[in-house]
Amino acid sequence: MAYWDRRDAVQSALARQGWRGWLLMDFQGSNPLLWQVLGRGPEGGHLTRRTFLWIPAGGAARGPEGAGSAAGAAGDGVVLLPHAIEGRALSDPRWTVRTYSDGASLRAALTDLGIAGGTVAMEYSPLGELPYVSRVDGGTLDLVRSLGAEVVSSADLLQAAIAQWDARQVAQHERAAQLVDGVKNEAFAFAGQRVRAGAAVDEYEVARRIQDRFVALGMATAYFPTVAVGPNSANPHYEPVAGRSRPIGRDEWLLIDLWARLDEPGAPFADVTWVAWTGPSPVPERIRHVFEVVRHGRDLALTRLAAAAAAGTAPQGWEIDRAVRDYIAGAGYGPYFTHRTGHNLGPQELHGSAGVCLDDFETHDVRRVVPGVAFSVEPGVYLAGEAGAALAGGTPFGVRLELNAVMTATGPEVYTPVQREIITLG
């Protein structure tokens, strides 16, 4: 998705707020969101200087004299403003290319966009509250403000322009979810077979098999999957390392978090976390209890989203996280839920920047959960440290249950399989 696919939604948001327009800036990769909004990058050249993108409200850029310019004939007044030596690589009939050469001409070119006296949206977040969209440096904000513009956050515009999936991306995600689930099942089965046979197996070997299966399936991924046994499962971002991984033995707790996408342009990830007990003894009651608390918290997020859709409302991301967090705190595990309830899933981004997260912990996400946005739902309880280990019965462990949801007008649609019972391998 790009601005051109979602023009009406972006223009409606600009008009509703009464903003003059949307000004994006990238410098040597500082703001990849600009290129996602534009729908393409440079061709036949590379960029080393600042590039600005101007999307005016109402589809008409103001010219040097303040009147509507000829830019309106190309791309509804959209203007791309690169350095003069780099403009040729960005030529396109959908927008007008204007250039600058030095500091003075850059200030003049920005002034000529007609930003003075108006409110301009940029990739900025007051107090850094939403770091996912806070991509513009403080000096550039100073520059734009010095030219007479008030700067506000473009967070809602980004969500409207590039975070809402189309039907093709939903289908890509659904297929990825099926493949990821199959790899997950194979990983648990492999670990279980080794444990039952009394053969050596460790976290890294299982994680390596997961990665190799994704390659064999032609899928793209990022980072290394989490395969965490016993105390390591109490580390939310644990990553096994060759030669230093924990063996997987009998009567142990095993958490696997894995993610991949189809290797196609714009394809989104499927990202899930499941847990298992290696056996042969029954699952300890203390683990089963925490599993049920986390499972209920996960399902509560979906229930709240479904109820909001039925009422015709769109909750803000923080509200869903707060409901889940309050429930887990009420169960006595508040200090051990140490991350947000869910992250955005963006096109080709595991942790999407442009769309809402379910978060009132790491940030206070005020973006709304609107149809088309996708996100993980993954509450967790991590009983680590002295106090956590005491609750865990002496041995630290963690439980996280993750699924992915795509919001629709009738509620969240879940394409990843949902874990409702603890897998037993022995």
Side-chain angles (χ1 to χ4, degrees):
M1 301 292 284
Y3 167 71
W4 317 101
D5 307 297
R6 301 281 301 168
R7 179 194 179 281
D8 289 349
V10 172
Q11 287 295 330
S12 293
L14 287 170
R16 187 166 57 250
Q17 297 291 345
W19 296 342
R20 186 69 53 82
W22 184 4
L23 183 65
L24 301 92
M25 190 279 287
D26 176 58
F27 177 57
Q28 298 184 348
S30 63
N31 186 10
L33 297 168
L34 182 154
W35 308 105
Q36 293 180 40
V37 170
L38 193 64
R40 57 154 278 198
E43 296 174 352
H46 60 276
L47 305 182
T48 61
R49 275 73 166 177
R50 287 172 287 182
T51 300
F52 289 82
L53 171 63
W54 173 242
I55 299 175
R62 297 187 177 191
E65 288 75 40
S69 77
D76 297 324
V78 173
V79 174
L80 203 58
L81 182 60
H83 191 275
I85 65 173
E86 298 176 339
R88 193 180 299 270
L90 292 164
S91 179
D92 192 290
R94 291 175 295 178
W95 54 78
T96 293
V97 175
R98 301 179 188 170
T99 62
Y100 68 94
S101 57
D102 58 11
S105 62
L106 172 59
R107 288 188 289 275
L110 290 172
T111 299
D112 287 348
L113 295 175
I115 64 175
T119 299
V120 174
M122 298 188 75
E123 279 64 70
Y124 150 75
S125 176
L127 303 178
E129 190 64 56
L130 291 177
Y132 324 104
V133 302
S134 192
R135 305 300 183 104
V136 179
D137 64 279
T140 299
L141 293 173
D142 290 342
L143 170 61
V144 173
R145 288 168 176 149
S146 76
L147 299 176
E150 177 186 355
V151 179
V152 295
S153 178
S154 64
D156 289 334
L157 298 178
L158 284 165
Q159 178 154 278
I162 59 177
Q164 292 168 269
W165 292 3
D166 58 21
R168 179 171 181 266
Q169 289 169 318
V170 172
Q172 288 172 323
H173 171 70
E174 183 173 18
R175 178 57 180 154
Q178 295 167 354
L179 294 172
V180 167
D181 187 59
V183 173
K184 176 263 295 177
N185 291 339
E186 292 172 11
F188 278 123
F190 170 73
Q193 289 165 3
R194 287 291 187 92
V195 170
R196 290 193 300 273
V201 62
D202 66 14
E203 298 162 325
Y204 182 82
E205 185 178 1
V206 176
R208 185 74 264 170
R209 284 179 66 92
I210 290 171
Q211 201 80 339
D212 290 345
R213 284 296 293 141
F214 286 151
V215 172
L217 291 168
M219 303 185 78
T221 188
Y223 316 115
F224 201 62
T226 295
V227 178
V229 173
N232 291 336
S233 66
N235 177 354
H237 270 193
Y238 175 74
E239 180 178 310
V241 177
R244 292 191 283 120
S245 291
R246 184 180 176 91
I248 303 172
R250 293 158 60 93
D251 289 340
E252 291 201 278
W253 185 242
L254 175 60
L255 179 151
I256 296 180
D257 185 0
L258 70 168
W259 48 85
R261 63 179 181 84
L262 302 186
D263 193 8
E264 300 172 0
F269 278 86
D271 177 16
V272 300
T273 307
W274 282 52
V275 291
W277 177 250
T278 63
S281 299
V283 181
E285 183 56 36
R286 64 184 183 279
I287 291 179
R288 190 176 295 280
H289 175 70
V290 175
F291 175 88
E292 289 300 322
V293 170
V294 174
R295 182 183 67 83
H296 185 87
R298 179 201 64 194
D299 295 347
L300 178 61
L302 299 177
T303 300
R304 289 296 181 96
L305 288 166
T313 62
Q316 296 178 336
W318 73 267
E319 296 177 280
I320 303 303
D321 179 69
R322 178 48 50 194
V324 175
R325 195 165 300 281
D326 287 348
Y327 166 75
I328 290 177
Y333 297 104
Y336 308 102
F337 181 13
T338 54
H339 57 70
R340 61 197 170 194
T341 292
H343 61 78
N344 179 254
L345 289 165
Q348 297 189 195
E349 283 188 303
L350 177 60
H351 290 184
S353 297
V356 61
C357 298
L358 310 183
D359 191 2
D360 192 35
F361 181 69
E362 301 172 40
T363 72
H364 181 71
D365 201 323
V366 297
R367 291 173 290 185
R368 295 195 175 275
V369 185
V370 296
V373 299
F375 43 88
S376 69
V377 180
E378 50 178 310
V381 169
Y382 308 95
L383 297 176
E386 185 176 343
L391 277 177
T395 302
F397 71 89
V399 178
R400 180 169 67 253
L401 300 174
E402 179 181 13
L403 55 76
N404 304 155
V406 183
M407 194 62 182
T408 75
T410 57
E413 191 73 37
V414 177
Y415 295 96
T416 51
V418 180
Q419 181 169 14
R420 304 197 183 281
E421 300 289 343
I422 296 171
I423 299 172
T424 52
L425 305 179

